[in-house]
Amino acid sequence: MTTTRWWLIRHAPVPNPDRLIYGRTDLPADTGDSDALAALAARLPPQAVWVTSHLRRTRQTAAALRLPGSDMALVERALAEQDFGSWEGLSHDDVAEHRPEDARRFWTDPAREAPPDGESFAAVMERVAGAVARLTAAYAGRDIVAVIHGGSIRAALALALDLTPQAALRLAVAPSSLSRIDHHGGGDEGSDGGGSWSVTAMNALGTFSGSGR
């Protein structure tokens, strides 16, 4: 039995005083809380495979953790945050006021409906599951530290817990938090092709600020 451990870290908080929607918008993270980052770094394994998305808030957070390998992280675009399309840079109030029909359609089923020119959370779950399966096979038996996003961590937890998209949206993931999922089985098994998952931690060390993605 081979166990592959995923250490899922949500990036550090993003200053967002206007509470704008910024899924794929490339905003910087605030990595100034050195105590929180040091506590997080102390929980992580040595000699891990490091992965980030292509967005700088994840790369900044990985660099701030200052562990061996964090400066050589793999960049995996499939682990990026949900794409909110033409809603990027708007507030939810802006969307409700100026695009009411789009807002009503989206909120009828926020797990499966997509913003205009964006993607649904169900689509996020599909692409994250594919990336997790591929990397689990490539690094079977290793520790994988993935510094990614609230939405992509929610999707990874949903994979491990076999949740529907609607149920997965109930999961809250705090900035600078640590969650962990373990895959037990052969390295060539896909996300649903064999083996099993367990969840060993969720939201460790993180604190909720209620700010965006």
Side-chain angles (χ1 to χ4, degrees):
M1 179 72 70
T2 299
T3 298
T4 307
R5 295 158 294 275
W6 280 81
W7 305 74
L8 304 168
I9 298 170
R10 185 180 174 187
H11 59 77
V14 171
N16 185 22
D18 296 323
R19 301 181 65 82
L20 303 180
I21 300 167
Y22 64 89
R24 289 292 181 92
T25 305
D26 202 12
L27 298 180
D30 178 2
T31 58
D33 191 342
S34 57
D35 289 342
L37 291 169
L40 180 56
R43 298 282 293 272
L44 299 177
Q47 299 180 339
V49 176
W50 282 72
V51 183
T52 70
S53 81
H54 64 290
L55 297 171
R56 61 176 161 169
R57 53 191 184 266
T58 65
R59 292 182 283 110
Q60 287 175 322
T61 303
L65 291 169
R66 299 185 182 282
L67 289 179
S70 60
D71 58 344
M72 299 286 289
L74 303 172
V75 175
E76 180 56 68
R77 297 181 72 93
L79 295 177
E81 185 55 278
Q82 184 173 355
D83 184 350
F84 287 91
S86 63
W87 290 2
E88 296 273 342
L90 303 177
S91 69
H92 286 286
D93 288 342
D94 290 335
V95 172
E97 180 179 356
H98 300 294
R99 306 184 184 189
E101 292 185 4
D102 289 340
R104 280 193 294 270
R105 176 185 53 78
F106 178 81
W107 290 112
T108 61
D109 187 358
R112 297 191 181 277
E113 291 288 342
D117 302 317
E119 65 179 337
S120 68
F121 182 69
V124 174
M125 285 180 58
E126 289 182 11
R127 64 170 165 80
V128 169
V132 169
R134 175 164 41 81
L135 292 170
T136 297
Y139 299 103
R142 299 284 303 276
D143 290 293
I144 302 173
V145 176
V147 185
I148 48 178
H149 304 268
S152 41
I153 292 174
R154 202 175 282 121
L157 289 166
L159 171 66
L161 293 168
D162 196 23
L163 298 180
T164 65
Q166 292 86 346
L169 283 179
R170 301 170 193 159
L171 300 175
V173 181
S176 302
S177 67
L178 170 65
S179 299
R180 201 181 105 194
I181 60 175
D182 294 353
H183 183 263
H184 313 284
D188 59 349
E189 296 164 338
S191 61
D192 59 0
S196 62
W197 288 95
S198 59
V199 177
T200 61
M202 183 174 172
N203 275 320
L205 305 175
T207 56
F208 288 94
S209 64
S211 61
R213 290 173 166 77

